[in-house]
Amino acid sequence: MTDSFYALVPAAGFGARMGQETPKQYMPLAGRPMIYHALLTLCGNAEITTVFVVLSSEDTLWRTFDWSTFGDKLQPLYCGGQTRAESVLNGLLASELEPEDWVLVHDAARPCLSALQLTRLLDELRNDDVGGLLAVPVADTLKRSDAMQRVEHTESRASLWQAQTPQMFRTGLLVQALQSIPNVTDDASAIEALGLKPKLVSSDTSNFKVTYPQDLQMAELLLQHGNIK
Ligand code: CTP
Ligand code: MG
């Protein structure tokens, strides 16, 4: 039996830190709504069968764009929750995937994911017992602050990684994890809370999450150079 791979893109947030009227996943970026870029990479991978997009039940913007280039491979699900974890869990339940299916959960707000990073994740994890995630070793020196925003001490950055997405797990395991531990900011945290150890797959900082207005320019530059897709 060959493995089946699916992607699920939570896109039911508001982008509060972006501070704009339009939810950030729909903000214009390199001539497209931001989410388009991640969908292009995910749908472009021949091993991924279907890309589910989890939208808020109140979303009115999705249907204003033309997604026909992705055909049936793209499946919107109007079942977003109050938090990212809730959106992911609702989406997994609505997708009706089999427990053994691999699912790659990827933020709509990481438009610069490259085909190469995606392939590396699939290749490094397809035979893994747990699954894992793209991540980057921390490069900067880390300071812990006191209440007055003064340096309490310097933390060692050895063995510290910044977690990215996609995060790839078996659907059944991820559903079980998110149902038992709902207050997590990424999928791997829920798996870790079950006592398992997700694998860290080396990525690079180009796959950063667009969070603040100043991140838009960097994403635009990376996408327009076109050498990373
Ligand atoms: N997300 C979601 N459902 C939520 C909250 C977030 O599907 N209730 C999605 C976002 O749309 C985004 C991804 O999770 O694609 C990562 O979240 P984040 O970057 O934090 O986006 P927002 O929550 O929209 O932004 P902010 O935290 O600034 O409000
Ligand atoms: Mg958020």
Side-chain angles (χ1 to χ4, degrees), residues 88-106:
V88 172
L89 179 58
N90 291 353
L92 291 174
L93 296 173
S95 71
E96 297 183 345
L97 293 180
E98 296 296 326
E100 284 307 300
D101 290 336
W102 282 110
V103 63
L104 286 78
V105 181
H106 182 64

Side-chain angles (χ1 to χ4, degrees), residues 10-17 24-25 81-84 87 107-109 209:
F14 299 106
R17 286 170 288 182
K24 83 176 160 183
Q25 57 273 28
Q82 293 301 307
T83 62
R84 180 190 183 280
S87 294
D107 294 327
K209 185 157 68 87

Side-chain angles (χ1 to χ4, degrees), residues 49-96:
T49 309
T50 305
V51 177
F52 298 99
V53 184
V54 184
L55 303 169
S56 156
S57 59
E58 280 141 38
D59 187 303
T60 53
L61 290 175
W62 173 262
R63 60 191 63 150
T64 66
F65 298 98
D66 178 12
W67 305 106
S68 57
T69 179
F70 301 121
D72 286 349
K73 191 158 178 175
L74 196 57
Q75 296 290 335
L77 301 169
Y78 286 84
C79 61
Q82 293 301 307
T83 62
R84 180 190 183 280
E86 208 177 298
S87 294
V88 172
L89 179 58
N90 291 353
L92 291 174
L93 296 173
S95 71
E96 297 183 345

